[in-house]
Amino acid sequence: MDSSNKPKPRQRSAIDYFTEFVVRGDDLAAEINVQQDSTEQYTAESHKQSEFNDAELMEQWKDVLQKARRDHHERILADRVAKSRLKFTNRQGDKLDQQNWVERELHALRGHANDIPAVMRHIRIFLSSTFTDTGPTRDFLMQHVWPFLRQFCQDREIHFEVVDLRWGVNDTMVDNHQIYDICMSEIDKCKRLSIGPFFLFFATNKFGWRMPPGSIAQAEFEAILAQVAAADDRAFVQSLYALDTNAVPALYTMHNLSHIVPDTASTDPATVRSGWGTWSTLQRRLMRTLRSGLTALVDAGQWQWGSKERDKYLISITNQEVYRAIMLDAPRNGARAWMFVRRIKNIDVASAVASQYIDIDHDHEVARESQELLHRLLEKAPDMFPPLNTYSFDVEWDSAGITLATHSNHILNICGCIQASLERAILDVAEAAAQRHYDLVCNGLDVHIDRIIAGTMREVSQHATFTASRSNTFFGRDHELRNIVEYVLL
């Protein structure tokens, strides 16, 4: 083989190390010397595309997708309850009066952009799951399902986008502990902008990473710390945070990762790996200490804050994503979200890859607390996701884990159900938009004029939305400029 055609190793980013060392539940610091180096990993990853495009696999994918479409259609027919049908209005959920809508469009076309009506042309979906156990499924979605749905939407004048934070988090965000804020912000954005489905939850046997809070209110931090029994643990927690009195109210903010463990910012891959192994150990000690203080505070009846503040110490970031997406308005938001549950049977916890698929504790046993929290989350699922939007899959464990080589049919089945479900939802959206167009025409608007307005409004709305997204945090210096003018002129 010509050496010039060999894949060149890429420089690994912080999110690569974050996924490998922090998201996994076991202590990897002792395993650093037996891990494959980044060159070997990249070489293996470079063959994924050819693996996913195998001709025999693609024929199997066509059959699976056809069956998924038929099954989904039967599920819809069987679901006769009107509230379970997918019905989407504009993003505020209001059924605007048609004449008022036309007046608002004309008002916007005359240059008044403050009252732009929502133009129903955007589907933006947040993909929520643990990382280490869903890679092959996410890869197949990225290479086959998302491109198809993007074109499927484009043919209906709808913009389609998927938020997969495996590819959207840069080194600075990881260093500044911004992952939680970014996840929640992206979920809110998907919920606000999408005219139809906005959230896919892929539940597995793994509860996921319980991340240390990047910032904690001063009173809350000091109350928890006061309940920590060991002085060295209190000093350890205190060393990781600094009091920010510029914030209102004041916050304890975690130091940058590169400050806590400088090796994570090294240019040497071996040093970076060692640094991330160190941080993996430190952050687990941090969370154990904070949870012990929280438990003592609650037991003493001195917890003065709400469940949201308490949950950040107890539940995984994946769990928090589900709550953020659905719980604020479960009936309405749940109708625009889907849950796909995969249960792996007979996982061998002694396997070298088991910690990627289930939470493992320090004794190399299943982490019971994490599994109980996962069970509670799934118990609440019927209150969050309608039956029509819920799918379950059972699969047997393999020593290699869940890969395309060992579980191709399972992966294709999940992806087929996802594509068939979203196709139907997109068609519902397109039909609703077409109905609105027809209603406007029937209310006396000339067909030609209506088409011009509809097309122009999409462009005006896109420009206005972009402008608002860039200017909503901009504050001019009107007062200062006025003082300068007055000083110069007077």
Side-chain angles (χ1 to χ4, degrees), residues 57-74:
L57 182 69
M58 290 298 97
E59 286 300 317
Q60 183 184 357
W61 167 237
K62 290 179 183 178
D63 295 338
V64 169
L65 185 56
Q66 278 190 335
K67 183 178 183 301
R69 286 167 173 159
R70 288 195 303 269
D71 290 346
H72 185 68
H73 181 64
E74 290 173 2

Side-chain angles (χ1 to χ4, degrees), residues 24-45:
R24 289 179 60 178
D26 57 330
D27 186 358
L28 295 181
E31 299 180 21
I32 294 174
N33 294 329
V34 299
Q35 295 283 344
Q36 285 184 303
D37 63 33
S38 58
T39 302
E40 291 171 341
Q41 290 178 357
Y42 181 69
T43 302
E45 291 171 1

Side-chain angles (χ1 to χ4, degrees), residues 184-198:
M184 301 305 120
S185 173
E186 289 297 330
I187 290 171
D188 292 343
K189 188 174 180 180
C190 290
K191 188 188 304 185
R192 184 178 71 253
L193 295 180
S194 183
I195 59 174
F198 79 96

Side-chain angles (χ1 to χ4, degrees), residues 122-191:
H122 198 116
I123 289 179
R124 195 171 193 269
I125 298 174
F126 187 94
L127 180 58
S128 174
S129 79
T130 47
F131 283 173
T132 60
D133 54 345
T134 58
T137 305
R138 283 175 175 256
D139 291 337
F140 193 91
L141 289 170
M142 182 180 66
Q143 293 192 25
H144 295 285
V145 175
W146 303 149
F148 174 87
L149 291 177
R150 191 171 293 112
Q151 185 61 49
F152 190 75
C153 285
Q154 185 176 329
D155 293 342
R156 291 155 181 81
E157 298 183 332
I158 298 171
H159 178 71
F160 179 83
E161 184 179 1
V162 174
V163 178
D164 184 342
L165 290 185
R166 284 194 309 169
W167 316 110
V169 178
N170 61 40
D171 292 5
T172 302
M173 296 171 183
V174 175
D175 190 56
N176 293 338
H177 312 288
Q178 294 178 317
I179 294 176
Y180 172 83
D181 293 334
I182 293 168
C183 287
M184 301 305 120
S185 173
E186 289 297 330
I187 290 171
D188 292 343
K189 188 174 180 180
C190 290
K191 188 188 304 185

Side-chain angles (χ1 to χ4, degrees), residues 190-247:
C190 290
K191 188 188 304 185
R192 184 178 71 253
L193 295 180
S194 183
I195 59 174
F198 79 96
F199 189 77
L200 290 183
F201 174 40
F202 188 8
T204 65
N205 296 66
K206 196 174 180 70
F207 185 57
W209 178 46
R210 292 188 278 179
M211 62 180 295
S215 61
I216 305 173
Q218 179 183 5
E220 179 184 336
F221 181 89
E222 293 175 353
I224 290 176
L225 205 62
Q227 297 293 327
V228 176
D232 60 333
D233 283 340
R234 290 196 300 271
F236 167 70
V237 174
Q238 190 76 56
S239 70
L240 299 181
Y241 288 85
L243 179 61
D244 180 6
T245 56
N246 289 322

Side-chain angles (χ1 to χ4, degrees), residues 1-111:
M1 177 179 178
D2 185 358
S3 60
S4 62
N5 294 325
K6 291 182 179 179
K8 298 179 180 179
R10 64 179 174 86
Q11 183 177 357
R12 303 188 75 197
S13 66
I15 195 62
D16 294 324
Y17 291 104
F18 163 78
T19 302
E20 180 180 353
F21 285 95
V22 178
V23 177
R24 289 179 60 178
D26 57 330
D27 186 358
L28 295 181
E31 299 180 21
I32 294 174
N33 294 329
V34 299
Q35 295 283 344
Q36 285 184 303
D37 63 33
S38 58
T39 302
E40 291 171 341
Q41 290 178 357
Y42 181 69
T43 302
E45 291 171 1
S46 67
H47 296 291
K48 280 182 179 177
Q49 186 167 1
S50 60
E51 180 184 18
F52 283 131
N53 287 308
D54 178 81
E56 183 178 348
L57 182 69
M58 290 298 97
E59 286 300 317
Q60 183 184 357
W61 167 237
K62 290 179 183 178
D63 295 338
V64 169
L65 185 56
Q66 278 190 335
K67 183 178 183 301
R69 286 167 173 159
R70 288 195 303 269
D71 290 346
H72 185 68
H73 181 64
E74 290 173 2
R75 285 166 66 98
I76 292 176
L77 293 179
D79 194 273
R80 299 291 184 179
V81 183
K83 65 180 181 180
S84 296
R85 295 301 306 273
L86 304 176
K87 296 179 180 179
F88 303 107
T89 58
N90 61 74
R91 64 188 177 197
Q92 285 79 26
D94 300 324
K95 295 182 178 179
L96 300 178
D97 175 76
Q98 292 171 354
Q99 184 61 35
N100 182 48
W101 184 288
V102 174
E103 290 175 357
R104 290 175 67 193
E105 285 187 340
L106 294 175
H107 188 68
L109 290 171
R110 293 188 183 103

